[in-house]
Amino acid sequence: MLINKVVFNNKLKNNLPTALSILVLISSSTLTFVELNASRTQLMNDSIQANYDFANELDSKINQQINLIQNVLVKQWNSTLNASLLYDYNRFLNIIPGFFEFSKSFLALNWINSSGVIKFVYPYERNKAAINQSIVIFKFGNNRTNEGFAYASDNLKTGFTGLFNFIQGSRGFAAYIPIVYRGNLTGFFNVLIDLNILLEDILNVETSSLNFYAFKIFDNGTLIANTSEDFDIDDTFVYTGKISFFNKEWVIHSRPLREYVQKASVLSIFPILIAIIILSAITYFLTNRLKQANRLLEKEFIEKEKYLEKMYNNRKLEALGTLSGGIAHDFNNIITNLMGHTQLINEIYIPQIDNIPVELKSLINESLDSIITNLNRSKDLTGQILSFSRQKSMNLIQIKLSALMMETMNMAKETSDRRIKFIYSIEDECFIFGNKTRVFQIFLNIILNSVDAVNPSSGEIIIKQKLVDNSNIINIDQLKEEYTEIEFNSKICMIVIEDNGKGLSEEQIDKVFDPFYTTKPLGLGTGLGLGIVYKNIKDLGGNIKINSIKEKGTKVIIYLPSIQPIIKIDNEKIINTEYRINMDILIVDDELDILETFGKLLKGIGGNIILKNNSKHAWEYYKDNYDSIDLVILDINMPEILGTELIKMIREINEDQNIIVISGYSEYDIPVNIDFLQKPFEFDELVKLILSLNIQ
């Protein structure tokens, strides 16, 4: 549309400065974040290098210390021709101190015999408790096998233990270096290395870049060392490496210290971002007035367009209402006339014919009953038109929901593909107070929509019915006030109609109750069905919800007020009973056929009937004879004098006059305290209403 194009173009022009300010914000922020990302990448690379350097330094320290024992001490120890000196304690005391002083991380340097018993210790005072102790089994902790000693004993190679608590009070690991003299194992040198001192020796160099990092060391999944500050191994900038020596493999996690991590965080560029935001805000502020003016213009155009669309729909509804009202009025008059003549034949003419064979009489009665049934169905068709055109006077009755649902479902089955599967389950029986035609319309519209939505070869429509707690789903207070004779339940009826059809999108669900909106192809839907459903449900005090997933199916949930079942009065026809209406009745209707038909029927049960097919003539007659008229039956839509005006004129001279209004449709409100029958109706309904007036 032209209006939309104008709005779009103006909007684009007015928002261009704003777009530029956003571009400044995005580009500046992007450059800042690129620089931040570069620094973060560099920090991660530094962490990798630090991990590598730390592992090399640790590996170098351990190998340097063990190689001293393994290559120098063992060689010096075996440099004797007297084998007995291999077991001499004094010789041990002369050689060992110089090697012990080599490393600050050495906690003890011991000699163990080939059976795994500690015989010589150094320093003595700190380690004397270990003399004559077997190291085959760790006696500290969980009494597990000494894997380092077992490895050294079995392979005649240096073996390391895992981390454990020394009896000296510190933590570290032990190395066992086998002493092989002339091909024979004569014992082991045992070195206890304090891990904390070893790490301090590596990290306490002031110029070392490793001081900028924290490290965690794991041995077989167990944390054995944590330097500097604590951190999570899943943190950003954490790098994982490994170190292998002798029979051990340690996992090393490294991460820059927190102060360096913070320098590479988003918070570090916060002042720059603030400056960028301020710059963008200034640009935005300068264009704000243009944007506001554009918004007002756009809003004005959109509201005007919505108003025009709404007015157009209202005019269509108004035209539809006028058209449907006229059709309903004429159609109901035709049906009323046909019903009257049918009952006239059945109740008056046939009984006067003698010698009709029983079989022929039965066939005639069946045909007449069939005509009445189909006329009643035709009467229901006008109900749908009237309910959409304007508020129709509803005949409210007690309805057993399951019976009406079965009737609706059976009709839907008859008109749909026989392959579609219908499933109906009743958890609780429900009774409601409403108009049967309208409730029928509700269910039939929804079920037929499901029929249209499903694939006939695999279609499935599931209908469930049960009582549920109200929980503010519907408000029945107004119904209780209006219908005091009806006992409404605290629980309400919930009817679920679910299919496995094409489903609806969220946008379609928002519009399904709008007049003239349809999801069906052109020519296959009017868009009035669910609009009527929604109106009828609201008129009955209920509520409706729709849940749907595209290509999965649709679930329609209907809530209706439930009532306590009412014991029904005998509803048999009374036209052939002993009841008589011995009264003077004035009938006024501009439809001559209806006038004559009901005149004959009422006369047949004893009435003195005066017929007037002109409201002006009826008024002239009534003025002169009102004291002898027991009842006035009149239509509303009549030429010259409307029925509503005629009622006022009658009540002015006789305020107690009994009046019954019969009408197929009227755009005029019927006065209060006036009995009303909606055309078309069966003659029995009119007789019952007359008798209920108790006219003496």
Side-chain angles (χ1 to χ4, degrees):
M1 295 178 67
L2 181 58
I3 289 176
N4 285 337
K5 289 181 179 178
V6 171
V7 171
F8 177 77
N9 291 332
N10 288 336
K11 184 176 181 181
L12 183 62
K13 293 176 183 177
N14 292 336
N15 281 340
L16 187 57
T18 304
L20 289 175
S21 67
I22 294 173
L23 182 60
V24 170
L25 176 64
I26 293 174
S27 58
S28 302
S29 301
T30 301
L31 291 174
T32 304
F33 277 103
V34 166
E35 185 177 346
L36 175 66
N37 186 61
S39 64
R40 290 169 68 88
T41 302
Q42 184 61 47
L43 193 63
M44 187 66 207
N45 291 335
D46 292 344
S47 182
I48 295 172
Q49 185 62 44
N51 188 287
Y52 177 77
D53 293 343
F54 179 76
N56 282 344
E57 189 70 23
L58 185 60
D59 181 67
S60 175
K61 286 285 184 183
I62 293 173
N63 277 288
Q64 185 181 28
Q65 295 172 9
I66 298 304
N67 286 337
L68 176 70
I69 306 300
Q70 187 175 260
N71 297 327
V72 181
L73 177 59
V74 171
K75 186 176 181 180
Q76 185 176 346
W77 185 257
N78 285 339
S79 63
T80 179
L81 298 177
N82 185 356
S84 63
L85 293 178
L86 298 173
Y87 309 99
D88 186 80
Y89 179 63
N90 290 325
R91 185 168 178 253
F92 175 83
L93 290 178
N94 288 329
I95 296 174
I96 291 302
F99 288 94
F100 180 80
E101 297 299 329
F102 177 76
S103 175
K104 291 184 289 185
S105 62
F106 284 172
L107 190 65
L109 188 52
N110 307 321
W111 183 84
I112 303 172
N113 66 20
S114 58
S115 300
V117 177
I118 300 174
K119 289 298 184 179
F120 309 147
V121 297
Y122 187 87
Y124 179 78
E125 289 299 328
R126 191 165 61 184
N127 299 289
K128 63 183 179 180
I131 296 175
N132 293 325
Q133 297 291 328
S134 173
I135 48 81
V136 176
I137 301 294
F138 278 117
K139 294 184 179 179
F140 312 104
N142 58 3
N143 290 328
R144 69 184 188 277
T145 300
N146 187 333
E147 73 277 11
F149 176 76
Y151 179 84
S153 179
D154 293 341
N155 298 283
L156 297 181
K157 295 180 180 180
T158 299
F160 279 80
T161 66
L163 188 72
F164 66 95
N165 296 320
F166 299 140
I167 60 174
Q168 292 85 349
S170 57
R171 285 167 58 83
F173 53 92
Y176 299 94
I177 300 95
I179 305 170
V180 179
Y181 182 79
R182 296 179 181 178
N184 295 314
L185 180 65
T186 61
F188 300 86
F189 282 119
N190 170 219
V191 182
L192 298 184
I193 300 175
D194 190 313
L195 181 60
N196 290 333
I197 295 175
L198 178 65
L199 295 176
E200 287 175 3
D201 191 29
I202 296 173
L203 298 174
N204 275 349
V205 180
E206 292 183 1
T207 58
S208 174
S209 62
L210 298 179
N211 292 320
F212 304 133
Y213 298 87
F215 299 92
K216 281 188 174 183
I217 304 173
F218 287 83
D219 181 9
N220 198 25
T222 301
L223 179 66
I224 62 174
N226 186 11
T227 71
S228 187
E229 62 192 24
D230 191 24
F231 64 91
D232 193 318
I233 62 173
D234 295 323
D235 283 351
T236 310
F237 306 118
V238 172
Y239 180 74
T240 302
K242 292 182 180 180
I243 175 175
S244 299
F245 56 92
F246 301 99
N247 65 315
K248 301 300 293 182
E249 182 178 83
W250 290 350
V251 176
I252 301 174
H253 301 281
S254 59
R255 193 209 69 179
L257 295 179
R258 190 169 291 108
E259 61 179 297
Y260 299 103
V261 171
Q262 289 174 348
K263 290 180 181 179
S265 70
V266 175
L267 292 176
S268 66
I269 62 169
F270 185 73
I272 300 174
L273 292 177
I274 292 296
I276 293 172
I277 292 171
I278 291 173
L279 178 62
S280 300
I282 292 172
T283 306
Y284 178 82
F285 176 77
L286 295 175
T287 60
N288 191 46
R289 290 186 178 181
L290 288 174
K291 288 176 62 179
Q292 288 179 345
N294 183 69
R295 285 197 196 101
L296 291 173
L297 181 63
E298 180 184 1
K299 184 178 179 181
E300 181 181 344
F301 275 119
I302 291 174
E303 288 180 352
K304 184 176 181 180
E305 194 170 71
K306 286 182 177 179
Y307 174 76
L308 290 174
E309 184 178 355
K310 185 175 180 181
M311 186 172 66
Y312 177 65
N313 280 338
N314 288 339
R315 286 181 177 176
K316 286 201 294 184
L317 287 174
E318 184 180 346
L320 178 63
T322 303
L323 176 63
S324 63
I327 294 172
H329 179 267
D330 293 340
F331 195 47
N332 280 338
N333 280 334
I334 294 170
I335 295 172
T336 302
N337 192 26
L338 291 173
M339 292 178 75
H341 278 292
T342 303
Q343 288 185 297
L344 193 63
I345 294 169
N346 193 31
E347 305 295 342
I348 295 179
Y349 294 160
I350 291 179
Q352 296 179 18
I353 302 174
D354 298 329
N355 301 322
I356 298 179
V358 175
E359 292 183 2
L360 178 59
K361 187 174 183 179
S362 176
L363 291 173
I364 293 173
N365 287 334
E366 287 180 9
S367 296
L368 292 173
D369 288 340
S370 177
I371 293 172
I372 291 293
T373 300
N374 283 284
L375 287 172
N376 281 324
R377 287 182 179 175
S378 300
K379 177 179 69 174
D380 291 342
L381 291 176
T382 64
Q384 186 163 348
I385 301 173
L386 287 172
S387 66
F388 205 80
S389 63
R390 72 186 298 271
Q391 182 64 38
K392 171 189 170 187
S393 300
M394 291 195 297
N395 180 25
L396 302 180
I397 60 171
Q398 170 183 293
I399 300 172
K400 185 178 181 181
L401 216 52
S402 60
L404 185 60
M405 181 62 77
M406 288 300 300
E407 180 183 341
T408 310
M409 194 167 62
N410 289 335
M411 177 176 286
K413 284 181 180 179
E414 290 297 323
T415 58
S416 59
D417 194 302
R418 295 302 177 94
R419 293 174 294 173
I420 297 175
K421 186 177 181 182
F422 287 82
I423 302 172
Y424 182 34
S425 64
I426 305 174
E427 189 171 322
D428 302 297
E429 184 56 82
C430 296
F431 289 86
I432 65 170
F433 185 62
N435 179 269
K436 186 175 180 181
T437 300
R438 290 199 174 191
V439 179
F440 181 83
Q441 289 171 2
I442 292 169
F443 295 148
L444 186 61
N445 265 300
I446 295 173
I447 292 174
L448 291 181
N449 280 343
S450 291
V451 169
D452 290 339
V454 299
N455 184 334
S457 61
S458 59
E460 188 173 87
I461 299 173
I462 302 173
I463 304 171
K464 299 177 183 178
Q465 170 188 311
K466 67 176 180 178
L467 291 171
V468 297
D469 293 328
N470 191 348
S471 302
N472 296 321
I473 298 173
I474 61 177
N475 187 355
I476 61 173
D477 292 340
Q478 185 176 349
L479 293 173
K480 289 181 177 180
E481 292 178 5
E482 190 172 352
Y483 304 103
T484 54
E485 73 279 9
I486 302 299
E487 183 179 353
F488 289 92
N489 292 328
S490 59
K491 290 194 172 185
I492 59 176
C493 300
M494 182 178 78
I495 305 96
V496 179
I497 302 174
E498 185 174 3
D499 65 61
N500 60 347
K502 293 177 288 188
L504 300 169
S505 66
E506 291 185 9
E507 182 182 357
Q508 289 173 326
I509 291 175
D510 291 338
K511 296 180 179 180
V512 289
F513 297 124
D514 292 349
F516 306 109
Y517 179 78
T518 179
T519 60
K520 297 176 183 177
L522 184 65
L524 296 181
T526 64
L528 296 177
L530 285 180
I532 293 173
V533 165
Y534 184 82
K535 183 177 184 299
N536 285 346
I537 289 175
K538 290 299 181 180
D539 286 346
L540 294 169
N543 201 359
I544 181 171
K545 296 180 180 178
I546 296 181
N547 300 321
S548 187
I549 300 176
K550 202 69 174 173
E551 305 305 331
K552 295 289 184 181
T554 301
K555 179 189 289 186
V556 180
I557 306 170
I558 301 168
Y559 300 96
L560 294 173
S562 69
I563 64 170
Q564 286 293 333
I566 306 167
I567 299 175
K568 292 186 177 181
I569 302 172
D570 185 11
N571 198 31
E572 292 182 0
K573 295 185 177 182
I574 62 170
I575 192 167
N576 287 326
T577 66
E578 59 185 7
Y579 290 104
R580 310 294 287 171
I581 52 170
N582 298 314
M583 61 183 72
D584 293 330
I585 302 175
L586 172 62
I587 304 177
V588 189
D589 198 311
D590 60 326
E591 293 288 338
L592 190 59
D593 287 341
I594 294 176
L595 195 67
E596 292 177 347
T597 301
F598 281 105
K600 292 176 182 177
L601 288 168
L602 290 173
K603 188 174 182 180
I605 57 172
N608 179 29
I609 309 302
I610 303 98
L611 304 176
K612 298 292 180 181
N613 75 327
N614 181 290
S615 53
K616 186 176 181 180
H617 296 166
W619 169 241
E620 296 297 333
Y621 178 85
Y622 183 81
K623 283 193 300 183
D624 297 333
N625 302 278
Y626 69 87
D627 54 345
S628 63
I629 296 175
D630 300 303
L631 174 64
V632 177
I633 300 174
L634 54 84
D635 193 5
I636 292 294
N637 288 332
M638 294 185 292
E640 298 197 38
I641 301 176
L642 287 173
T644 50
E645 292 298 321
L646 186 56
I647 292 171
K648 291 179 184 178
M649 295 161 67
I650 290 173
R651 285 287 168 83
E652 285 178 0
I653 61 175
N654 184 3
E655 62 181 11
D656 296 324
Q657 179 65 64
N658 293 294
I659 300 173
I660 295 176
V661 171
I662 56 172
S663 180
Y665 166 80
S666 174
E667 59 183 313
Y668 303 100
D669 293 330
I670 298 169
V672 294
N673 301 324
I674 295 291
D675 292 294
F676 175 77
L677 269 182
Q678 175 75 44
K679 292 180 183 178
F681 53 83
E682 293 191 41
F683 181 62
D684 300 313
E685 297 177 64
L686 178 59
V687 174
K688 289 178 185 178
L689 182 55
I690 294 172
L691 293 174
S692 70
L693 297 177
N694 295 319
I695 299 173
Q696 301 296 327

